[in-house]
Amino acid sequence: MALASHHEMAGTPTKANVARDVLLAHSPLTAIMVNAILVFITFLLSLPALALPATRGWLRAHGWLVVACAIFTLVLGLDIWFTTLKTRANLSTIFDEQSAQVKSLLQQRFNCCGYLDSVTFQQDFICPSVAAAAQKQGCVGNFSNYANGFLDLIFTAFFGFVALDVILLLNTAMVLKDRQETERYRHIDEKNGFGGL
């Protein structure tokens, strides 16, 4: 997702993607890419843990990496969630930082003039004059509603991944316990002269 977002943000902004690109530009995309790499490494470490059923070391390492992934993903989700708690204030700064073209596209996207009101509008065909702009509301309501919905989806997905990590960690612990008991019974059988079964 983060790589595709970087690629899409590098393109020319359009009315359809400008709001998403503005929000993603202020999201922790680099940290999200690092998290994705950590998840992939965790997956790769699970392969020898599954292929070598007699060993527990790979499985333990996999379990610790799952814990690291869960914590990292939780921190990312919490960061985005805390951002949504002050969306209107954050979006005001973000809106002011945008170029005239991006402000115009945001006004077209949300059919509004300016951020808080029509005093700071960008002149375009939606807001051709001060009189026309005064008849439209500011972008704060529509833009913040869009941002909240978009960011809510992202941090909820992160929290969902944390839940999956917890389930995976519990399954890893069960397999570790099963392998420990199997090894214990194998040692008991060897001690009693039955050999490894």
Side-chain angles (χ1 to χ4, degrees):
M1 178 194 121
L3 288 175
S5 298
H6 269 298
H7 178 69
E8 291 173 4
M9 288 185 328
T12 305
T14 64
K15 180 180 167 183
N17 69 7
V18 68
R20 183 199 65 208
D21 289 350
V22 166
L23 293 172
L24 286 176
H26 291 84
S27 296
L29 291 179
T30 304
I32 292 170
M33 282 191 280
V34 170
N35 189 37
I37 291 168
L38 183 61
V39 168
F40 186 70
I41 290 170
T42 303
F43 165 72
L44 290 178
L45 196 62
S46 73
L47 296 177
L50 294 173
L52 304 170
T55 63
R56 293 190 326 244
W58 288 104
L59 202 55
R60 278 192 195 114
H62 171 70
W64 283 110
L65 277 176
V66 168
V67 169
C69 287
I71 291 171
F72 196 13
T73 306
L74 181 65
V75 168
L76 287 172
L78 287 173
D79 178 53
I80 294 171
W81 177 58
F82 287 137
T83 302
T84 63
L85 297 178
K86 44 192 172 170
T87 302
R88 286 182 180 241
N90 292 340
L91 288 180
S92 176
T93 306
I94 291 170
F95 190 86
D96 291 341
E97 293 172 353
Q98 301 309 309
S99 66
Q101 177 193 13
V102 171
K103 285 181 183 177
S104 175
L105 287 170
L106 286 169
Q107 289 178 165
Q108 293 170 35
R109 169 83 163 83
F110 298 113
N111 194 21
C112 56
C113 294
Y115 183 68
L116 288 174
D117 52 31
S118 59
V119 175
T120 59
F121 74 97
Q122 181 64 42
Q123 191 169 0
D124 59 10
F125 72 89
I126 295 287
C127 309
S129 66
V130 174
Q135 294 178 355
K136 292 196 181 271
Q137 64 181 0
C139 296
V140 63
N142 293 335
F143 193 21
S144 63
N145 286 342
Y146 174 82
N148 279 331
F150 183 77
L151 295 174
D152 285 353
L153 182 67
I154 291 174
F155 78 72
T156 303
F158 282 139
F159 293 156
F161 286 127
V162 171
L164 290 175
D165 284 339
V166 169
I167 292 169
L168 181 59
L169 184 63
L170 292 173
N171 287 330
T172 302
M174 286 187 286
V175 171
L176 271 170
K177 183 66 177 167
D178 180 62
R179 287 184 181 180
Q180 180 183 17
E181 287 180 10
T182 302
E183 185 176 336
R184 178 177 166 248
Y185 289 130
R186 186 176 54 81
H187 286 305
I188 291 171
D189 287 344
E190 287 174 355
K191 195 165 142 183
N192 290 334
F194 294 112
L197 296 178

